[in-house]
Amino acid sequence: MAEWVNGKIVQVESWTESLFSIRVHAPIAPFTAGQYAKLGLEIDGERIQRAYSYVNAPSDESLEFYLVTVPEGKLSPRLHALRPGDELMITRDSAGFFVLQEVPPCDTLWMLATGTAIGPFLSILQEGKDLERFRHIVLVHAARFARDLSYLPLMQQLQQRYHDKLRIQTVVSREEAAGSLTGRVPALIESGALEAAVGLPLNSETGHVMLAGNPQMVRDTQVMLKEQRQMARHLRRRPGHITSENYW
């Protein structure tokens, strides 16, 4: 049974009409970058809860979450309506295995995210621990429109922090935008456009892929990597090249 604690909203950032971030102060237990917590509200006598990944580094006392408002959803519209000083519930202990400890050493670590799934990657990179095992890191954030790339300024700051070790690339699927590739991640891998843009090969000999996003993108990308790049899912009992997590 999960232990719940009360958290207090300290900031709500509305990026678009549907994308927003919240910052929370709460007495949680230590967590590992890449993990998630459950947030909840009492609604009509029932606790409505959903899982959300941390965006902040574990060393940051402000807990940050990146969310999308689902218009017909029970929880997300109410979370978006919260204001500083309001309270919510959060699980004291975090969960999840989408962490660097589960990733084997490799030459190039590819971090591929769509939508709000950029969160765990930002947590990992802001924390900055256990990255010496990788010569290169590629952070890719895909969204429908350029305005949905909420954390691009932070991505650029991280690129400056890590210098040549970190390469960033944005992707938009429904318009053309300066500095971004246009299309869907699986197609950009198939055509070689993603590799050409970042200047590094994506293959089983040198790379490992951490893949997070909507289930369809995750499935399609896994199939593409398996069929074209001979990359397999990474399991503890059977080492491979792909670590994934669905967001929906």
Side-chain angles (χ1 to χ4, degrees):
M1 182 73 69
E3 179 183 350
W4 291 82
V5 297
N6 290 327
K8 182 169 289 188
I9 298 291
V10 295
Q11 183 183 20
V12 180
E13 180 78 41
S14 293
W15 302 104
T16 67
E17 64 278 2
S18 60
L19 291 168
F20 68 102
S21 300
I22 58 174
R23 281 189 170 269
V24 181
H25 283 171
I28 65 165
F31 71 94
T32 301
Q35 289 190 309
Y36 62 87
K38 289 183 179 179
L39 304 181
L41 290 172
E42 288 285 347
I43 301 172
D44 298 328
E46 178 185 3
R47 182 170 60 213
I48 306 300
Q49 62 189 51
R50 299 288 185 271
Y52 299 103
S53 292
Y54 292 99
V55 175
N56 60 288
S59 55
D60 190 340
E61 67 175 12
S62 290
L63 312 177
E64 184 172 359
F65 302 92
Y66 184 36
L67 299 84
V68 59
T69 301
V70 180
E72 67 277 11
K74 291 184 177 181
L75 183 61
S76 59
R78 289 174 169 84
L79 291 175
H80 199 173
L82 294 176
R83 294 296 175 260
D86 291 341
E87 292 190 346
L88 50 61
M89 292 174 288
I90 180 172
T91 48
R92 180 181 181 276
D93 296 308
S94 303
F97 297 98
F98 198 68
V99 296
L100 285 185
Q101 289 91 322
E102 299 294 326
V103 174
C106 63
D107 187 75
T108 304
L109 176 62
W110 293 78
M111 298 176 163
L112 309 183
T114 58
T116 58
I118 190 68
F121 296 128
L122 296 176
S123 179
I124 290 168
L125 290 170
Q126 288 185 96
E127 185 70 354
K129 294 181 179 179
D130 201 27
L131 296 176
E132 65 279 353
R133 298 185 291 125
F134 314 107
R135 181 183 176 192
H136 302 292
I137 301 171
V138 180
L139 176 62
V140 177
H141 188 201
R144 294 178 302 169
F145 301 100
R147 65 176 180 269
D148 299 330
L149 300 169
S150 310
Y151 284 92
L152 179 56
L154 176 56
M155 292 169 61
Q156 292 168 335
Q157 290 174 19
L158 289 166
Q159 186 177 36
Q160 292 178 353
R161 170 180 166 182
Y162 289 104
H163 306 292
D164 293 338
K165 186 181 184 75
L166 175 64
R167 306 185 190 193
I168 64 173
Q169 181 62 55
T170 54
V171 176
V172 292
S173 61
R174 299 190 182 182
E175 65 179 0
E176 294 186 0
S180 294
L181 294 174
T182 304
R184 296 184 66 247
V185 170
L188 293 170
I189 294 173
E190 182 179 20
S191 68
L194 180 58
E195 293 161 283
V198 302
L200 289 168
L202 174 52
N203 57 49
S204 59
E205 286 77 28
T206 61
H208 189 96
V209 176
M210 294 185 75
L211 180 62
N214 71 73
Q216 188 64 54
M217 185 281 291
V218 170
R219 284 193 296 270
D220 291 348
T221 304
Q222 286 177 329
V223 169
M224 175 54 57
L225 292 172
K226 179 180 179 180
E227 293 181 350
Q228 193 182 75
R229 307 304 169 92
Q230 293 73 54
M231 302 178 85
R233 285 186 62 194
H234 178 69
L235 303 171
R236 287 180 175 177
R237 65 181 183 275
R238 188 176 68 248
H241 320 93
I242 305 168
T243 302
S244 64
E245 186 159 279
N246 289 332
Y247 275 67
W248 203 244

